[in-house]
Amino acid sequence: MDEAWTKQVDASLDGVAGKELQRLVDLPTRRAFGAFFTGSTLAERLLAGQNFGKDAFIYDPTVGAADLLLAAARRLPLGKSLRETLVQWGQCLAGTDLQQEFIDAARLRLALLARLRHGDGQKIPSGLASYFPHLRRADGLEQKQLIARTTHLLMNPPYGLTPAPEGCTWAGGRVSEAALFIVHALELAKPGTHLLAILPDVLRSGSFQHHWRERVSDLAEVNLVERYGIFDDIADVDVFLLNACRRADKDKSIHRRWPSAEKTGASTIADHFDVHVGRVVPHRDKETGPLCRYIHPRNIPVWEEVSSVSEKRRHPLAYQPPFVVLRRTSRPGHPYRAAATVILGNGPVAVENHLIVCLPRDKSPDTCRDLMAELHTQRVNDFLDQRICCRHLTVGAVKEIPISI
Ligand SMILES: C[S@@+](CC[C@H](N)C(=O)[O-])C[C@H]1O[C@@H](n2cnc3c(N)ncnc32)[C@H](O)[C@@H]1O
C-alpha cells in the first residue's frame, strides 16, 4: 500500500467525513438533523482504556458516519483475512441512523479501517451491507431488540430540543433530544451494559436538568462525568463525557450516583487543571531525555511548596511547573486523603507514577496554592469517601473533586 493511499485513508477515517458534511450541507440543516460527527481525538478520549471481550456487542443508536464505532473497531481483533475481519466486526458492531448516506459511509469507513489495519492491500469486497447486517437506516429510538442484546452503548446523540414525551417523569415542556436518547437507551438496556456518551454540558451543569441526572443515577452506576470543553469549532457547544453502567432494576444504591459537585453546579478540578498520573516507572524506564529534577512520594513534603529538589534523573516525559502533585495512595493515619504538594521552580520535573499531577490551565502558582488549600479540608475527604471506597486515588475521582477556585 503506498504512502499517499494510506494518508488519504487516514484522513477519511478522521475529519474528512465531518468536513465533507460541512461542505455539502448548510449549518441550519445540520442543526435541524443534529448531524455533527465526532473527531477521532474526542472519540479516542471517550474510549480510552476500553477493552472489548469476545462477547461484546457494540451499538451506536445515532451512528452518523460511524466515528465512535471506528474508535471501537480500532480495539477489536483482526481475522486471518480482510473478509474474515469484516464478518467478525459485522457480528459485533451495530449502528442506526435516519440518513441512508451516513449508513453507507459508516460501512465503507469500517471496511477501510479493516483494510488499513491488515496493511497488505487486500481488495474490499462488494456488498458491504451483507457484512454489516446490524448497520442500517432506522430510528434509534425504536430499537428495543438491538439495545437488549447490547453490551456497550456508544452515543453522541442529536442535541436539539423536542417536546417531552407523554408520561415523562423527569421532564416537561421541551427537552434535549440527547437527554431523551440516554434515558431511553438505559431503560431498555440489560443490567451490566456499559454506556459511553458525549453529551451537551448543560445536562451536566444545568439546574433544570437535575431530574434527568437523578433518573440516569436510578438507572445506572455513574462511573465518570468529565467536562471536555467545546465539541468543535463549528458545533460551538460545550460537551462532557459520561461513563455509566446499567444497574439491576431494584438496585438504587447511593454510591456511584451523579457526583454531588454536579448537582450544585460547582466547578471541579477538571474544569481548571489537566490531571495525569506521573510518567516515571523507576525500575522500568530507561534514563533517556533531558536531565531534570525528579520527585516521588518519599522526597517531597506534604502540604508545602517545593522549588528545589536535589534528586535528578533523565526522562523524556517531564512536566513544567507550577503544578500540584497528590499521592495516589494515602498513608494510614493521615487525616487528609488527597495529600498535596505544590511544585514550583524553573525547568521540567520528572514525576514518579505514585503521584498524580494537576497542571493548572492558567499556569499560575496561586491557582496551585488555592487547590492545595482546598484539598486540605474535610469537605474533600467526605467527597472522596463517597466517591471511592479504597484508599487509592484515581485520576477520574481527582478530576471530579469539587473546588471553588
Ligand atoms: C451528533 S450526530 C453524531 C453521529 C455519531 N454518533 C458521531 O459521534 O459522529 C447525531 C446523528 O444522529 C442522527 N439521528 C438523529 N435522530 C435520529 C434518530 N431518531 N435515530 C437515528 N439517528 C438519528 C443524525 O442523522 C446524526 O447522524
Side-chain angles (χ1 to χ4, degrees):
M1 249 180 277
D2 71 19
E3 208 178 308
W5 189 89
T6 309
K7 261 196 189 149
Q8 238 173 325
V9 174
D10 274 345
S12 70
L13 295 177
D14 187 7
V16 164
K19 289 210 178 80
E20 278 299 287
L21 186 69
Q22 273 170 41
R23 196 171 64 80
L24 297 168
V25 184
D26 62 41
L27 187 59
T29 311
R30 275 182 280 139
R31 284 229 165 92
F33 289 96
F36 294 94
F37 298 157
T38 309
S40 64
T41 309
L42 177 51
E44 281 301 318
R45 174 114 166 228
L46 183 69
L47 272 84
Q50 194 67 49
N51 293 314
F52 299 107
K54 65 176 180 20
D55 296 326
F57 188 81
I58 305 157
Y59 173 42
D60 181 346
T62 56
V63 71
D67 286 271
L68 301 182
L69 289 188
L70 284 167
R74 288 193 181 95
R75 290 157 171 80
L76 294 178
L78 294 176
K80 289 197 195 78
S81 65
L82 178 58
R83 270 172 202 274
E84 197 178 297
T85 299
L86 294 178
V87 170
Q88 286 172 13
W89 288 9
Q91 288 311 308
C92 67
L93 295 176
T96 46
D97 201 287
L98 297 178
Q99 312 302 329
Q100 184 61 45
E101 292 82 353
F102 294 171
I103 295 294
D104 295 340
R107 290 182 190 132
L108 191 56
R109 293 175 86 211
L110 285 165
L112 280 172
L113 174 65
R115 184 173 191 253
L116 187 72
R117 283 190 55 198
H118 272 278
D120 53 6
Q122 294 175 63
K123 203 162 168 267
I124 293 178
S126 55
L128 283 178
S130 62
Y131 287 90
F132 291 103
H134 310 300
L135 251 176
R136 53 188 160 76
R137 182 181 169 201
D139 188 335
L141 287 169
E142 289 176 5
Q143 301 306 318
K144 212 171 167 176
Q145 284 178 350
L146 264 188
I147 293 181
R149 66 179 288 199
T150 295
T151 58
H152 293 79
L153 278 163
L154 306 184
M155 295 180 72
N156 176 12
Y159 296 177
L161 293 177
T162 186
E166 225 171 285
C168 177
T169 53
W170 49 270
R174 283 163 75 72
V175 53
S176 159
E177 282 182 274
L180 209 61
F181 265 100
I182 293 295
V183 169
H184 177 79
L186 284 175
E187 281 175 349
L188 296 177
K190 60 180 185 248
T193 303
H194 298 279
L195 167 70
L196 296 167
I198 299 165
L199 296 168
D201 198 62
V202 64
L203 294 180
R204 177 191 75 93
S205 52
S207 45
F208 289 128
Q209 285 71 16
H210 169 74
H211 293 295
W212 175 80
R213 295 192 287 268
E214 284 297 292
R215 181 70 187 132
V216 170
S217 301
D218 283 347
L219 290 164
E221 298 207 7
V222 179
N223 297 323
L224 183 69
V225 173
E226 184 184 4
R227 192 174 163 194
Y228 179 76
I230 297 279
F231 178 72
D232 67 17
D233 299 345
I234 306 296
D236 191 24
V237 56
D238 266 318
V239 295
F240 74 101
L241 310 183
L242 173 64
N243 175 330
C245 182
R246 176 67 158 95
R247 51 171 107 240
D249 279 333
K250 294 215 168 70
D251 169 20
K252 295 267 156 66
S253 86
I254 54 160
H255 296 294
R256 300 282 186 90
R257 293 183 71 80
W258 206 277
S260 53
E262 317 302 330
K263 286 185 191 160
T264 61
S267 67
T268 64
I269 287 188
D271 293 331
H272 301 276
F273 293 81
D274 290 319
V275 184
H276 308 276
V277 171
R279 300 295 181 89
V280 180
V281 183
H283 301 298
R284 186 199 68 187
D285 292 358
K286 293 207 176 86
E287 289 259 345
T288 56
L291 186 66
C292 40
R293 291 176 286 163
Y294 172 46
I295 57 170
H296 50 77
R298 296 166 306 287
N299 74 347
I300 47 167
V302 185
W303 308 123
E304 285 186 29
E305 292 178 18
V306 169
S307 302
S308 63
V309 179
S310 54
E311 222 170 311
K312 303 220 166 19
R313 69 159 285 153
R314 292 184 186 281
H315 201 273
L317 300 168
Y319 295 98
Q320 194 64 45
F323 56 81
V324 179
V325 286
L326 312 181
R327 279 123 193 94
R328 284 175 76 186
T329 314
S330 40
R331 287 205 199 121
H334 198 286
Y336 295 101
R337 293 191 60 177
T341 306
V342 172
I343 308 297
L344 302 171
N346 295 322
V349 179
V351 182
E352 204 221 52
N353 71 336
H354 285 95
L355 294 170
I356 291 178
V357 184
C358 302
L359 293 151
R361 298 222 177 88
D362 65 5
K363 301 193 176 1
S364 155
D366 282 339
T367 305
C368 294
R369 292 180 182 113
D370 289 349
L371 175 61
M372 187 161 78
E374 289 232 9
L375 295 171
H376 201 247
T377 60
Q378 190 54 39
R379 186 179 58 75
V380 171
N381 269 5
D382 291 345
F383 170 83
L384 289 170
D385 281 340
Q386 198 201 339
R387 175 66 178 74
I388 37 175
C389 41
C390 62
R391 295 202 69 79
H392 207 68
L393 292 187
T394 61
V395 166
V398 168
K399 282 181 171 177
E400 287 172 28
I401 294 175
I403 51 173
S404 56
I405 287 174

